[in-house]
Each structure stands twice: as structure tokens, then as C-alpha cells.
Amino acid sequence: AITSGSPAEKAGLKEGDIILEIDGQKITKSSSLSKAISSHKPGDQIILKILRDGKESDAAVILGEWKQ
């Protein structure tokens, strides 16, 4: 889910987007999204390659802090 006010929403991500890559690193079973993001810290900018409606595009995201 895309949370209101989150870095994902601010970057223009939408519900149903599929994240394919982070900074050129493909997301796979062995290289998960959480694993790829964990090598960064809040405030870092990452480039996501996303798939939306059959089209690939890039989105720049500035990471925020994880709040449970």
C-alpha cells in the first residue's frame, strides 16, 4: 500500500506499481526489495525502475525513516 505523505507517494508511485530495480539492481527472490533498501539510510535518494500499466519508467525516491 502507498501511505499518504510517504516518500513513495511523494515520488509518484501508485498502488499496483511493480518495482523492478533499485539503483540498477534487479529485484529477485535472492535480492529482495527490503534487502536492497537496507543498504541505504534515511535521506538517501534511490532510483526505482517501476512497471505500471505495461510500461517501465524511473522514479527518484528520497528514503524516509521506518516507523512502525
Side-chain angles (χ1 to χ4, degrees):
I2 304 295
T3 306
S4 179
S6 69
E9 182 189 54
K10 291 175 185 175
L13 296 179
K14 297 186 184 229
E15 196 75 33
D17 286 351
I18 299 169
I19 298 172
L20 304 172
E21 297 179 5
I22 294 178
D23 289 336
Q25 178 183 353
K26 291 183 187 277
I27 302 303
T28 64
K29 288 183 181 181
S30 62
S31 179
S32 68
L33 176 63
S34 60
K35 189 175 186 180
I37 288 179
S38 70
S39 66
H40 298 278
K41 58 184 183 248
D44 286 352
Q45 178 175 304
I46 59 173
I47 303 298
L48 301 178
K49 179 173 282 192
I50 60 169
L51 181 66
R52 178 186 298 157
D53 299 327
K55 296 178 184 174
E56 291 184 11
S57 63
D58 292 335
V61 179
I62 297 175
L63 297 176
E65 271 191 65
W66 175 258
K67 296 178 183 174
Q68 295 182 338

